Amino acid sequence: MATSNLPTSYSRYTLQERPEAYITPTTFKYETLSLEELKSSMKDTDVLVQVDYISLDPAMRGWLRDQRSYIAPVSLGY
């Protein structure tokens, strides 16, 4: 990974807990990581992208539950 043009820190939200009913402030975890911390947390299959806009769809609530639907649920920590 070429690092010459990359920022020195990154922010991300990860799924911290599965909501029982409504999404609460503790459902997601907000983190700021240095470039080195981020690189060490990434798997070989992960990619780093710059996000300009975020959209949330009602179907995404189903992805947070630990049950199979048309796609597998999101893992905790992602």
Side-chain angles (χ1 to χ4, degrees), residues 32-62:
T32 300
L33 302 168
S34 70
L35 176 59
E36 291 307 316
E37 290 172 317
L38 181 67
K39 285 170 47 179
S40 69
S41 72
M42 293 176 68
K43 299 176 183 174
D44 290 339
T45 56
D46 290 342
V47 295
L48 180 62
V49 298
Q50 178 178 331
V51 176
D52 293 322
Y53 298 98
I54 295 176
S55 173
L56 298 176
D57 183 284
M60 292 177 176
R61 288 186 55 80

Side-chain angles (χ1 to χ4, degrees), residues 2-78:
T3 59
S4 60
N5 295 327
L6 297 177
T8 57
S9 66
Y10 295 85
S11 300
R12 69 181 180 187
Y13 285 94
T14 57
L15 182 61
Q16 181 169 281
E17 64 186 24
R18 298 197 185 280
E20 292 185 25
Y22 295 102
I23 294 172
T24 66
T26 60
T27 302
F28 296 97
K29 181 179 178 182
Y30 178 78
E31 301 175 293
T32 300
L33 302 168
S34 70
L35 176 59
E36 291 307 316
E37 290 172 317
L38 181 67
K39 285 170 47 179
S40 69
S41 72
M42 293 176 68
K43 299 176 183 174
D44 290 339
T45 56
D46 290 342
V47 295
L48 180 62
V49 298
Q50 178 178 331
V51 176
D52 293 322
Y53 298 98
I54 295 176
S55 173
L56 298 176
D57 183 284
M60 292 177 176
R61 288 186 55 80
W63 305 350
L64 303 179
R65 296 190 179 110
D66 193 17
Q67 61 189 30
R68 184 81 173 139
S69 66
Y70 67 98
I71 64 166
V74 173
S75 299
L76 293 178
Y78 277 90

